[in-house]
Amino acid sequence: MVMSAVDVKRFGRTGVLMGGTSAERDVSLRSGAAVLRALTAAGVDAVGIDLQDDWAAQLRAASIDTAFIALHGTLGEDGCVQGLLEIMGIPYTGSRVMASALCMNKRLCKQVLDQAGLTTPVEIRIAEGGPERYPVFIKPVAEGSSIGLHYVESVEAWQQLDLDADMQWIAEMPVKGVEIAVSVLAGEALMPVEVAPKSGVYDYTSKYTAGATAYFCPARLPAETLRYCMEQAEKAVAAAGCSGAPRVDMIVGSGGEAAILEINTIPGMTETSLLPKAAAAAGIDFQQLCLRILATAGLDYGQEGKR
């Protein structure tokens, strides 16, 4: 779908929100810069906004009509900036406040998915002396991009960890299988992308270092398994109330069963990111992808904002 000049103009002045103050600031700046280039090339009146100190003041000064959120992590992906934009009457891309907050909290999202009949990894209780069993994956309850992800095989390894005491942590039983990511664009799942990190663990370094991970789209799975995973991703997104272009990460076992790891409401848009790879496999180039995401701004927002 290529939008006409009239379609593009209806967005008005579009602010690409990037940067922020989370641990994922650098990735967000890369995502935002790529989106800004694409929207500008498509004829959108777009401006990049690196949110740092007084976000409300920066948004007012930019005088935008629509917001394309390319923020990752705390404050940008957890419902905070979404709430601010709603107060200011600015339609925005991505999931709304409640869905954003839910998916940013891995434990709460896990509970919602479990109640919806979807499979997630088994959570292991963290006692005073560490997890009740090993090996486990340890990760922050509310961070993205695999920030703080640790694979812990023993008590000794646990004791060597220097975990931030101010953060909440969750431990999960490892799931063996093929790791895939299924992006859901405007409610429809794209072809799953298989990720095969050379290190064996798809952590922050594997995600954002060129050449550190091999990608396959479609994933190297039977056709019926691919369809099943796409259906599971659509169900997960619906259960969490997500909108825009969320990405569902999962691991597919040898029997074809899929365990959902998490839902990322604002996937990366960098050169190594998975959503653009899935879109390209569907014949949607990066510019078209950005326009399609932008077109979702305000669709379930309840108002037309300042447009």
Side-chain angles (χ1 to χ4, degrees):
M1 179 181 76
V2 179
M3 293 191 170
S4 66
V6 175
D7 290 324
V8 169
K9 288 181 179 178
R10 75 182 179 87
F11 301 123
R13 184 170 174 80
T14 298
V16 180
L17 311 189
M18 64 181 88
T21 56
S22 79
E24 299 176 67
R25 172 177 170 79
D26 290 344
V27 176
S28 174
L29 288 171
R30 288 164 56 188
S31 288
V35 170
L36 180 61
R37 287 193 298 270
L39 293 181
T40 301
V44 176
D45 178 15
V47 58
I49 306 175
D50 179 0
L51 296 174
Q52 297 188 54
D53 299 320
D54 189 335
W55 291 19
Q58 285 186 266
L59 291 171
R60 283 195 296 270
S63 189
I64 61 174
D65 301 295
T66 311
F68 190 116
I69 302 178
L71 293 161
H72 305 310
T74 307
L75 299 183
E77 201 170 355
D78 56 7
C80 290
V81 76
Q82 290 80 6
L84 175 60
L85 290 167
E86 291 197 9
I87 290 172
M88 299 181 73
I90 302 173
Y92 56 89
T93 59
S95 297
R96 304 307 173 233
V97 176
M98 290 184 65
S100 297
L102 172 66
C103 292
M104 193 63 177
N105 188 305
K106 295 180 178 67
R107 180 170 285 118
L108 291 180
C109 186
K110 183 185 185 71
Q111 293 172 359
V112 168
L113 296 179
D114 289 343
Q115 290 175 1
L118 299 164
T119 302
T120 65
V122 175
E123 182 174 354
I124 303 300
R125 179 174 173 271
I126 300 178
E128 185 175 342
E132 292 187 337
R133 58 148 289 168
Y134 297 92
V136 293
F137 275 109
I138 304 290
K139 53 189 176 182
V141 170
E143 281 288 359
S145 284
S146 299
I147 296 290
L149 177 67
H150 301 280
Y151 179 63
V152 185
E153 296 184 279
S154 64
V155 174
E156 291 73 24
W158 168 262
Q159 293 173 341
Q160 292 176 8
L161 285 180
D162 184 20
L163 300 179
D164 188 339
D166 294 327
M167 296 176 64
Q168 289 186 314
W169 298 84
I170 186 173
E172 291 180 333
M173 185 183 298
V175 180
K176 294 183 179 181
V178 178
E179 187 162 357
I180 65 171
V182 187
S183 299
V184 182
L185 179 59
E188 296 186 7
L190 300 176
M191 189 60 66
V193 178
E194 177 184 344
V195 296
K198 295 179 181 177
S199 67
V201 178
Y202 195 47
D203 55 12
Y204 186 91
T205 301
S206 295
K207 282 187 177 183
Y208 298 111
T209 302
T213 298
Y215 301 95
F216 304 91
C217 189
R220 297 172 296 179
L221 295 168
E224 61 271 20
T225 302
L226 293 175
R227 287 193 296 271
Y228 167 73
C229 291
M230 293 166 72
E231 292 172 357
Q232 294 297 99
E234 291 176 353
K235 289 179 180 177
V237 165
C242 298
S243 52
R247 191 192 74 229
V248 182
D249 298 337
M250 58 182 78
I251 291 182
V252 183
S254 58
E257 67 282 3
I260 297 174
L261 303 177
E262 64 177 339
I263 301 175
N264 188 321
T265 56
I266 305 178
M269 297 287 277
T270 72
E271 65 275 9
T272 60
S273 297
L274 304 178
L275 170 57
K277 293 181 188 299
I284 306 169
D285 65 28
F286 190 78
Q287 185 180 108
Q288 291 176 312
L289 174 62
C290 291
L291 288 174
R292 290 197 185 193
I293 294 174
L294 183 57
T296 67
L299 288 184
D300 57 355
Y301 179 66
Q303 61 167 293
E304 285 300 304
K306 299 190 293 181
R307 278 190 264 160

